[in-house]
Amino acid sequence: MRSPGRHLNRRLEVWRPTTAPDGYGGQETVFVQRPGTVRAKVDQPSNADRMLAAQAGSKHDHTVFLLPRADVHRGDELRGIDALGQGQVLRVLAVVQPSTPVFSKASCQLIQKEGA
């Protein structure tokens, strides 16, 4: 079987939620960048994916394909750094791997900045 690597045309930073002291005796959640980048292909979900997401009440609007060993988890943010997706932020809703681990598939929600 061919490697999917040639189709992964994007470089994304992985940002993971972490708790940190808020300075007032409590904690807040902040996103911390993980080392390196992951290669990815970002697609609109298929009609079947959209229908399943709608039935489940999910906000899935993008599908991200990654290499199977990519360190990406539910709750992470994938941030575009290349010309194709610079400034784009995708929140990971779920990560699944097919029975033959050729790639991982992350269901994501595009997070748009105010005024964008």
Side-chain angles (χ1 to χ4, degrees), residues 45-66:
S46 69
N47 286 337
D49 287 341
R50 286 177 202 247
M51 186 174 69
L52 286 172
Q55 289 173 347
S58 174
K59 298 177 180 176
H60 173 204
D61 57 17
H62 283 73
T63 300
V64 178
F65 295 93
L66 306 151

Side-chain angles (χ1 to χ4, degrees), residues 10-16 32-40 66 71-72 76-82 85 87-90 92:
R10 304 268 299 267
R11 293 251 177 224
L12 302 172
E13 297 173 337
V14 179
W15 291 72
R16 185 147 301 148
V32 177
Q33 184 179 358
R34 306 286 297 162
T37 60
V38 293
R39 292 175 56 198
L66 306 151
D71 184 20
V72 174
D76 287 352
E77 286 185 353
L78 302 175
R79 299 183 185 181
I81 58 170
D82 57 17
Q88 199 173 53
V89 177
L90 298 160
V92 179

